[in-house]
């Protein structure tokens, strides 16, 4: 049976305000994940938004 990707947990990135889904690489630290990408993590203090 194939995995249903629609059942994966989602969060909203506080920088770009876009939703992002759980990834295998975050399975041990999902509670601590706040940003969707390295770009958003780096720009968190700048208050910059990108599209």
């Amino acid at each position: 049976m194939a995995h249903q990707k629609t059942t994966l947990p989602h969060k909203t990135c506080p920088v770009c305000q876009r939703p992002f889904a759980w990834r295998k690489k975050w399975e041990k630290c999902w509670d601590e994940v706040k940003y969707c990408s390295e770009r958003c993590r780096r720009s968190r203090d700048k208050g910059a938004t990108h599209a």
Side-chain angles (χ1 to χ4, degrees), residues 6-22:
T6 57
T7 61
L8 296 175
H10 286 79
K11 290 184 179 180
T12 301
C13 178
V15 175
C16 66
Q17 303 299 314
R18 292 183 181 173
F20 61 98
W22 180 91

Side-chain angles (χ1 to χ4, degrees), residues 25-38:
K25 71 178 183 179
W26 292 331
E27 73 179 333
K28 293 181 181 175
C29 61
W30 176 244
D31 291 337
E32 295 140 23
V33 174
K34 294 179 182 176
Y35 305 100
C36 63
S37 64
E38 185 65 26

